[in-house]
Amino acid sequence: MDVASVAAVTRAIDAVTVDRVKERHPRAPLHLESSTMPSAPSTASATESLTSAESIRLVLDTVEARNPNEPEFLQAVHEVLESISPVLEAHPEFVDGGILERLVEPERQILFRVPWVDDAGRLQVNRGFRVQFSSVLGPYKGGLRFHPSVNLSIIKFLGFEQIFKNALTGQGIGGAKGGSDFDPHGRSNAEIMRFCQSFMNELYRHLGEHTDVPAGDIGVGAREIGYLFGQYRKVTNRHESGMFTGKGVQWGGAEVRTEATGYGAVFFVEEMLGVHGETLHGKRVGISGSGNVAIYAIDKARQLGATPVTASDSSGYVVDDAGIDVDLLRQIKEVERARISEYAARRPGARYVEGARPWEVPVDVAIPSATQNELDQGDARALIANGVRAVAEGANMPSTPEAIELLQSAGVLFGPGKAANAGGVATSALEMSQNAARQRWSFDDSEAKLRAIMADVHDAAFQAAERYGRPGDYVVGANSAGFERVAHAMLAQGVI
Ligand code: NDP
């Protein structure tokens, strides 16, 4: 969705015009709770305070004016702010404390040059990013993405979402995201290593176990994390395990971190279905992507008695009615780093569809696990027409706002990424705990903890949705529960 249509949707929802607000409040006041700053009590009366709708409209207006070329970031900000009006009504101190105005501006944005030399001896230059959005709940935490599409808008949308997701997990972690427009596809191991080393030569000064703790994301898996961690160790002369998560289990990594996002998304589906007395057993599941999240979502869906029937990459998708063979998929994508079409070539009964997305395949449950905006209105219509029961976002913001609206109005259970894919970062926090305590927990123990965390995340979102008058709306629930926790902490810690 482009910026213009994002803005149009908002204006339809909120009839309060910016001009009217500005007329009444030429300079929107920033009131502080007297308890957090006794020497500076509010001088404005209650009637001068902005309503929640006015406050949201003003903030959106400012964000649009300040970030005109960042459609993904604007989409993410709209999605959160438009859903938390009931929270602001219940907590006028959040409006008075300028929580929204502060939250939409990252605490720090780091852009840097990443020069490296390819195998042919040519100099290459990429751009590196780290957007440290909020450290109010703990050290900045969020993955690194290496993909040619990466730009500031994408990193800011991911960092913004990360604040609320991380809060929802109940762990002490702030929100951040980073990465580069580097494309790892087709690069040799030596090129990947040189790129990672150059990237870390700059980023290391902004990281640390108490400062900022990255992890993987698209294009950053076990291999890249190894090279990045190795270079950090060299340039700092510190083996600081807690400065990166997703490490190999032999050198400080946690059991289940690799599997956590995909497993967690499937656990979240089980929780949503469980509210209605259903389970995944016997259901057909459609999954997009064939990377870290998709592979382990497929794996866990199979273990729970479902039949995952699709997988995809940026070229197309495969459908396998007998159920995706995870071992074959891993061999093709993780070992050979080949295209998904190879799966159909080697698996009898499987079919490859070039240049299309898997949502046209009839399924009971869909778990989009590739990238942002990969499930649009048309895809939602196809899923609904085929009787889909639940959609859970394994990826970050894979569904467009129009798709979400269609799915929710059709009564489809919809688990937003902030809740459904929170298992990855939650397990990263478990990795940090183990590093700090110099302990290693078993796979079974770690998986049990992940399952309990996903049940808690589900309950927090479910209960917040009820509390704010939108029962069953996990978008409102997840955003509200995450936002509340962050906002209380921001008020307590003063104007930072
Ligand atoms: P991977 O790099 O392991 O896999 C990404 C997959 O998505 C690949 O199959 C890739 O195909 C596909 N893909 C990427 N871009 C596009 C595109 N533009 N169109 C279609 N397919 C595309 O990444 P992850 O599995 O780690 O991440 C997937 C999603 O999950 C992302 O949105 C990420 O932010 C989110 N996420 C990941 C977490 C984690 O722990 N890894 C945690 C929480 C969220 P191809 O090979 O052709 O590029």
Side-chain angles (χ1 to χ4, degrees):
M1 189 165 77
D2 60 20
V3 182
S5 47
V6 168
V9 170
T10 311
R11 275 189 275 279
I13 291 168
D14 183 356
V16 178
T17 67
V18 175
D19 284 349
R20 207 187 100 220
V21 177
K22 283 184 176 159
E23 207 173 276
R24 285 176 52 198
H25 305 279
R27 287 177 61 202
L30 181 72
H31 305 159
L32 296 168
E33 269 196 337
S34 55
S35 63
T36 59
M37 192 174 278
S39 59
S42 165
T43 52
S45 70
T47 53
E48 285 176 296
S49 295
L50 297 176
T51 67
S52 61
E54 289 170 340
S55 172
I56 289 169
R57 186 60 253 165
L58 255 187
V59 173
L60 287 175
D61 190 49
T62 307
V63 176
E64 281 169 20
R66 269 200 184 141
N67 310 282
N69 301 314
E70 298 178 4
E72 294 85 2
F73 176 54
L74 293 177
Q75 184 181 336
V77 172
H78 274 263
E79 192 257 334
V80 171
L81 266 55
E82 283 161 9
S83 67
I84 56 168
S85 190
V87 184
L88 297 183
E89 272 156 32
H91 294 280
E93 70 273 19
F94 294 165
V95 176
D96 294 346
I99 298 298
L100 294 186
E101 288 87 337
R102 287 189 273 157
L103 263 179
V104 295
E105 198 59 27
E107 290 178 7
R108 189 175 298 104
Q109 306 186 54
I110 302 148
L111 269 71
F112 53 101
R113 180 172 67 199
V114 190
W116 57 285
V117 178
D118 68 19
D119 285 348
R122 280 187 302 263
L123 180 94
Q124 303 275 352
V125 178
N126 285 97
R127 186 170 281 183
F129 302 84
R130 185 71 177 167
V131 175
Q132 298 174 330
F133 241 106
S134 171
S135 57
V136 76
L137 292 178
Y140 303 110
K141 186 88 196 81
L144 296 174
R145 177 177 291 192
F146 292 169
H147 193 272
S149 65
V150 163
N151 56 36
L152 191 57
S153 173
I154 298 224
I155 297 299
K156 281 174 69 180
F157 117 63
L158 290 163
F160 185 71
E161 296 246 298
Q162 199 83 45
I163 307 171
F164 309 102
K165 180 193 308 188
N166 293 4
L168 196 57
T169 67
Q171 311 270 358
I173 39 180
K177 202 79 186 188
S180 174
D181 55 4
F182 171 71
D183 186 359
H185 285 118
R187 291 291 176 191
S188 69
N189 270 334
E191 287 176 318
I192 300 278
M193 183 176 74
R194 285 197 295 276
F195 174 80
C196 289
Q197 290 175 341
S198 179
F199 185 85
M200 189 53 84
N201 281 345
E202 172 57 34
L203 193 61
Y204 83 93
R205 55 186 108 241
H206 308 286
L207 305 181
E209 63 180 319
H210 300 297
T211 308
D212 186 346
V213 184
D217 191 82
I218 291 177
V220 179
R223 173 181 57 169
E224 291 76 15
I225 291 172
Y227 295 146
L228 290 162
F229 182 82
Q231 189 68 1
Y232 181 88
R233 183 170 60 77
K234 179 177 171 71
V235 294
T236 61
N237 194 29
R238 284 165 64 87
H239 191 114
E240 192 185 327
S241 291
M243 62 68 56
F244 218 110
T245 61
K247 301 181 293 294
V249 286
Q250 298 307 321
W251 45 277
E255 295 285 0
V256 185
R257 175 59 189 92
T258 306
E259 296 83 356
T261 308
Y263 278 21
V266 172
F267 291 149
F268 194 86
V269 172
E270 280 276 83
E271 293 294 329
M272 289 199 298
L273 292 173
V275 172
H276 302 273
E278 300 169 43
T279 70
L280 265 167
H281 194 86
K283 292 196 164 53
R284 273 169 67 94
V285 182
I287 291 171
S288 62
S290 49
N292 174 265
V293 180
I295 285 172
Y296 292 100
I298 290 169
D299 190 28
K300 185 50 70 178
R302 281 206 88 136
Q303 287 176 25
L304 294 179
T307 309
V309 291
T310 64
S312 71
D313 63 16
S314 47
S315 312
Y317 75 86
V318 290
V319 55
D320 183 350
D321 288 321
I324 298 283
D325 177 338
V326 190
D327 293 336
L328 177 59
L329 186 65
R330 289 188 61 180
Q331 172 65 26
I332 290 168
K333 297 305 287 191
E334 288 186 343
V335 180
E336 299 171 24
R337 298 182 189 272
R339 308 308 296 161
I340 195 72
S341 49
E342 264 305 299
Y343 180 92
R346 294 192 208 168
R347 171 93 166 157
R351 186 162 55 85
Y352 173 63
V353 183
E354 172 86 23
R357 301 192 287 220
W359 313 124
E360 58 200 18
V361 176
V363 289
D364 304 304
V365 172
I367 310 182
S369 305
T371 192
Q372 62 275 358
N373 293 328
E374 54 155 319
L375 194 164
D376 66 14
Q377 245 172 327
D379 299 318
R381 279 202 197 94
L383 284 166
I384 293 164
N386 285 325
V388 75
R389 177 77 182 106
V391 174
E393 296 187 322
N396 284 312
M397 210 169 75
S399 321
T400 64
E402 297 86 353
I404 297 172
E405 201 182 326
L406 273 175
L407 291 166
Q408 288 186 320
S409 355
V412 176
L413 299 171
F414 181 79
K418 274 185 221 81
N421 71 36
V425 76
T427 308
S428 278
L430 300 183
E431 183 172 335
M432 291 161 74
S433 301
Q434 290 167 78
N435 292 151
R438 297 191 182 278
Q439 287 179 348
R440 251 182 88 180
W441 305 340
S442 71
F443 190 96
D444 290 349
D445 201 16
S446 306
E447 190 182 356
K449 285 187 168 69
L450 169 64
R451 184 141 206 178
I453 288 170
M454 293 315 294
D456 288 348
V457 165
H458 172 272
D459 291 353
F462 186 83
Q463 284 160 19
E466 300 242 317
R467 200 162 60 245
Y468 289 113
R470 297 284 290 274
D473 186 336
Y474 290 98
V475 175
V476 167
N479 287 340
S480 302
F483 173 73
E484 266 181 339
R485 189 169 169 227
V486 172
H488 281 301
M490 287 176 75
L491 275 188
Q493 294 179 29
V495 178
I496 301 291

